[in-house]
Amino acid sequence: MPQHAFASSSNHSEANTAAGKLFLAEGEGNYRAVQSAEVVAIALEYLAARLPGSVVLDSPQHVRDFLRLKLGALPHEVFAIIHLDAQFRVLGYEELFRGTLSQTSIYPREVVKSVLAMNAAAIICCHNHPSQLATPSEADQLLTQSLKAVLAMVGVRLLDHLVVGGVTIESFSERGLL
C-alpha cells in the first residue's frame, strides 16, 4: 500500500504564506501543496487497498465514510453495490449504473448477475442524489423491495440500501424500510 505523509500549514515552515493548506511530503524536507481532490484520491486508494477480503464491515460509520468519498460529490447519479462474503468481509465495490443529474435506470437482472459473479452472500446497495438531498424517493423504495425479493430467490441478503446526498446518508435499514 502506498505511503503518504501529510503536513498541515500549522506545522509547516511556510505557515505564514499558506494558511489552511495541506502539504504532501515528497522526500525529506520537501513538501508541496495538495488540492482537496488529491487528498480524496489518496484516501480512496488507501481504502481500496484495504477492501478485498480484509475488511469486515463492523460499523455503519465505516460504510458511510467510504460512500461519502466515493459518491458524495458526483454530479450525476450512480448506483453501486458493496459485495460481502458470509462473514460480511468486503469482496468488492462495483458501480453498476450511471445516470443523469436526477435519475438512473437500474436493472435487477444485472444486479443479480454481478452478485453471483462475485459469489457474494450479501450486499449493500447504494446510490447518490446529486441534489444533496438524501431522502429516499418512492421509486428508491420500490426498487429496494424488488431487489430484496429477487436477491432472496438466489440466497443473497440485501443488508441495506444507502442514499448519499453529499455528506448526509440515509439508511433504509435504519428507517425501517428494508
Side-chain angles (χ1 to χ4, degrees):
M1 183 173 345
Q3 296 294 318
H4 300 282
F6 290 99
S8 68
S9 59
S10 62
N11 63 3
H12 186 266
S13 61
E14 297 176 16
N16 293 334
T17 61
K21 291 201 178 211
L22 192 62
F23 294 84
L24 179 65
E26 293 189 315
E28 198 167 320
N30 297 322
Y31 295 89
R32 69 174 173 82
V34 292
Q35 303 296 317
S36 59
E38 188 174 3
V39 174
V40 169
I42 290 168
L44 287 172
E45 181 181 319
Y46 171 78
L47 288 171
R50 295 187 57 211
L51 277 180
S54 64
V55 175
V56 176
L57 294 176
D58 56 359
S59 160
Q61 190 60 44
H62 291 145
V63 176
R64 282 181 160 84
D65 290 344
F66 176 74
L67 293 177
R68 271 187 203 96
L69 287 171
K70 290 297 274 186
L71 302 173
L74 294 177
H76 54 274
E77 279 202 19
V78 169
F79 179 89
I81 294 175
I82 300 174
H83 299 275
L84 306 166
D85 70 9
Q87 286 74 44
F88 304 129
R89 291 181 301 234
V90 176
L91 297 171
Y93 168 86
E94 183 178 12
E95 293 182 0
L96 288 177
F97 306 103
R98 179 182 174 179
T100 63
L101 178 66
S102 59
Q103 66 183 7
T104 189
S105 296
I106 292 121
Y107 303 97
R109 173 183 167 83
E110 298 301 315
V111 172
V112 171
K113 282 173 51 178
S114 171
V115 168
L116 293 176
M118 290 292 292
N119 201 28
I123 66 166
I124 296 170
C125 62
C126 53
H127 76 280
N128 67 313
H129 284 172
S131 66
Q132 307 292 304
L133 300 174
T135 305
S137 68
E138 187 175 323
D140 294 340
Q141 293 177 44
L142 291 171
L143 169 71
T144 302
Q145 293 309 316
S146 175
L147 285 174
K148 181 179 177 182
V150 169
L151 290 166
M153 287 184 210
V154 293
V156 176
R157 289 179 55 198
L158 176 58
L159 298 179
D160 206 349
H161 182 167
L162 298 161
V163 181
V164 180
V167 296
T168 304
I169 298 180
E170 290 290 334
S171 161
F172 275 63
S173 289
E174 290 174 1
R175 291 177 132 220
L177 298 173
L178 193 60

